[in-house]
Amino acid sequence: MIIITFGTFDLIHIGHINILEKAKKLGDKLIVGISSDNFSYKKKNKYPIYNEKNRKKILENIKFVDEVFIEESFEQKRDYILQYNANILVMGSDWENKFDEFNDICKVIYFDRTPSISTTDIIEIIKNQ
Ligand code: CTP
């Protein structure tokens, strides 16, 4: 089974590790599409702290992750899923139902987010210290 997931994965935290661990348990190979710096900016109106090259290298060194590529846009998501022959698409519950359109080419699973942590929260906490 090939699993695919997407996200910015900036300032890696326990919520990221938990979803990657759960995703990997569903199959044999976990592929992660990390949002390019420009795509992240479009989604969140701010650039990630770590650039795409460094975020990719960090993700590649997490033991649950087998392959990482850079995701350039929402529009290409269907092509990425097909290109990587993914059987299951995993996303966090903040995306609940948002990717159901891909149920025709793979199984779509949403995992509950790890409570009380996000990259945005970490940045705010550090800023306010
Ligand atoms: N995620 C999670 N639990 C958290 C935070 C993130 O399961 N506490 C999941 C998201 O649902 C997504 C993946 O991790 O599937 C990547 O999320 P990302 O947007 O990169 O992380 P956030 O911490 O949510 O970032 P931000 O605060 O910038 O939105």
Side-chain angles (χ1 to χ4, degrees):
M1 281 285 193
I2 299 175
I3 320 300
I4 196 165
T5 192
F6 297 89
T8 303
F9 295 97
D10 191 23
L11 304 182
I12 287 289
H13 57 67
I14 193 67
H16 295 146
I17 300 296
N18 286 341
I19 195 167
L20 295 171
E21 181 178 23
K22 283 189 272 184
K24 173 73 179 195
K25 279 192 181 141
L26 296 175
D28 316 295
K29 186 173 180 190
L30 175 61
I31 299 167
V32 183
I34 58 157
S35 307
S36 69
D37 295 338
N38 286 331
F39 180 39
S40 282
Y41 185 82
K42 274 185 209 148
K43 279 193 301 186
K44 303 192 184 195
N45 240 350
K46 59 175 192 237
Y47 284 104
I49 305 287
Y50 297 156
N51 68 34
E52 61 196 31
K53 186 167 160 267
N54 291 346
R55 284 183 287 118
K56 182 167 180 283
K57 189 166 179 179
I58 291 167
L59 257 284
E60 282 167 347
N61 283 283
I62 292 174
K63 69 175 180 182
F64 309 115
V65 176
D66 297 289
E67 195 173 334
V68 183
F69 68 94
I70 294 183
E71 180 191 23
E72 302 287 352
S73 74
F74 273 123
E75 291 70 38
Q76 285 162 269
K77 210 166 290 269
R78 179 171 288 272
D79 290 339
Y80 293 131
I81 296 168
L82 292 171
Q83 185 188 328
Y84 287 97
N85 286 316
N87 306 106
I88 304 176
L89 167 63
V90 165
M91 292 301 298
S93 51
D94 42 330
W95 296 98
E96 190 86 51
N97 299 325
K98 302 246 168 61
F99 293 114
D100 291 355
E101 66 191 275
F102 301 124
N103 266 314
D104 60 334
I105 52 169
C106 64
K107 189 173 177 187
V108 184
I109 295 179
Y110 304 95
F111 282 126
D112 285 344
R113 279 172 71 90
T114 300
S116 314
I117 188 151
S118 71
T119 300
T120 308
D121 288 351
I122 294 169
I123 294 168
E124 284 310 305
I125 290 164
I126 293 170
K127 266 192 197 162
N128 295 331
Q129 269 182 358

